[in-house]
Amino acid sequence: SSSRYFFATSCRSSARMGKYAREPQNPAKSCKARGSDLHVHFKNTHQSAQAIRGMALKKAKKYLEDVLDHKQAIPFTHFNGGVGRTAQAKNLALSSAGQARWPKKSIMFLLDLLRNAESNAEVKGLDVDQLEITHIQVNAARQQRRRTYRAHGRINPYMSSPCHIELILTEKDRQVARPEEEKTVAKLSYRRAAKQRSKTAVVVA
């Protein structure tokens, strides 16, 4: 499809561009993916990325697939002028005053990028089940120009708003159950020990 073509060409160009906005703290347990000049709307993609920031990889993919099926929605906390309200926004973590959308094209690009990063993680030998999104960023790219023809022979600009997307997945440390420590008996002071002895003596008497 056309979206996959744009995504593939952009990933190849991003390899030449190089730098990420942030580097992972532990590169050995992290993997990256990036797309540049993607032909998808910046504002919708920005809000979609905010919704999955900090999620586990599997949870984020499930959430985005549910959005495609209209089972869940993407909350719009910014760029929300004229965005309608829906009951699906009530139970979302981000406060959006009920404003939400289902941006199909943005979701498809993010899912492709997550699958790309997941493949990179498998190549590095990371545990895919332990991956979480520690960094995701969407920047506005240079607008692309077209024209639209108006009445009386006029011509108006008809601009598109592409974007750059980058993300970093990091393998979480496995949580090991803490061994149960032996209960230590608190050592009593001389005065408290004497009081307890006197109480037991009274009870026995």
Side-chain angles (χ1 to χ4, degrees):
S1 62
S2 60
S3 63
R4 292 184 181 276
Y5 170 76
F6 277 113
F7 180 77
T9 55
S10 301
C11 284
R12 285 197 294 271
S13 63
S14 67
R16 295 193 296 271
M17 292 182 67
K19 290 186 178 179
Y20 281 69
R22 181 185 299 176
E23 292 299 324
Q25 294 182 350
N26 188 356
K29 289 194 173 184
S30 302
C31 59
K32 301 185 287 187
R34 174 177 175 163
S36 297
D37 293 304
L38 302 178
H39 198 71
V40 60
H41 203 280
F42 161 69
K43 293 181 180 181
N44 289 343
T45 310
H46 180 275
Q47 292 301 286
S48 302
Q50 292 293 320
I52 62 172
R53 173 174 291 170
M55 280 190 183
L57 175 61
K58 285 195 170 183
K59 183 179 178 181
K61 289 171 64 178
K62 179 67 168 59
Y63 172 61
L64 295 178
E65 289 167 357
D66 284 348
V67 173
L68 287 179
D69 295 334
H70 282 227
K71 295 178 181 177
Q72 297 194 63
I74 298 293
F76 272 63
T77 56
H78 295 86
F79 313 123
N80 54 3
V83 177
R85 287 172 168 79
T86 175
Q88 288 186 357
K90 290 182 179 179
N91 299 324
L92 297 173
L94 297 175
S95 176
S96 62
Q99 292 176 285
R101 275 181 174 170
W102 303 266
K104 179 179 178 180
K105 191 172 180 181
S106 299
I107 298 302
M108 291 175 65
F109 273 89
L110 287 173
L111 279 172
D112 282 344
L113 202 62
L114 287 174
R115 294 188 191 104
N116 192 343
E118 185 178 3
S119 299
N120 295 340
E122 290 174 351
V123 170
K124 291 184 72 172
L126 302 180
D127 187 358
V128 177
D129 295 333
Q130 297 295 321
L131 291 176
E132 66 179 8
I133 303 170
T134 54
H135 169 69
I136 185 167
Q137 181 171 314
V138 179
N139 294 327
R142 183 177 180 179
Q143 286 189 310
Q144 297 174 359
R145 181 178 293 275
R146 288 181 291 169
R147 60 173 62 181
T148 184
Y149 300 93
R150 310 304 298 270
H152 310 295
R154 292 174 297 135
I155 294 176
N156 282 0
Y158 204 71
M159 313 290 283
S160 65
S161 301
C163 63
H164 312 302
I165 311 174
E166 64 180 51
L167 61 88
I168 297 176
L169 303 180
T170 304
E171 186 179 14
K172 295 184 294 185
D173 294 332
R174 295 181 180 273
Q175 295 182 354
V176 181
R178 188 174 181 179
E180 295 183 2
E181 298 179 356
E182 296 181 359
K183 294 182 179 180
T184 56
V185 180
K187 190 174 182 181
L188 299 177
S189 63
Y190 178 78
R191 185 174 295 178
R192 285 192 175 185
K195 282 185 178 181
Q196 282 193 359
R197 284 197 299 271
S198 63
K199 285 181 181 179
T200 54
V202 171
V203 171
V204 172

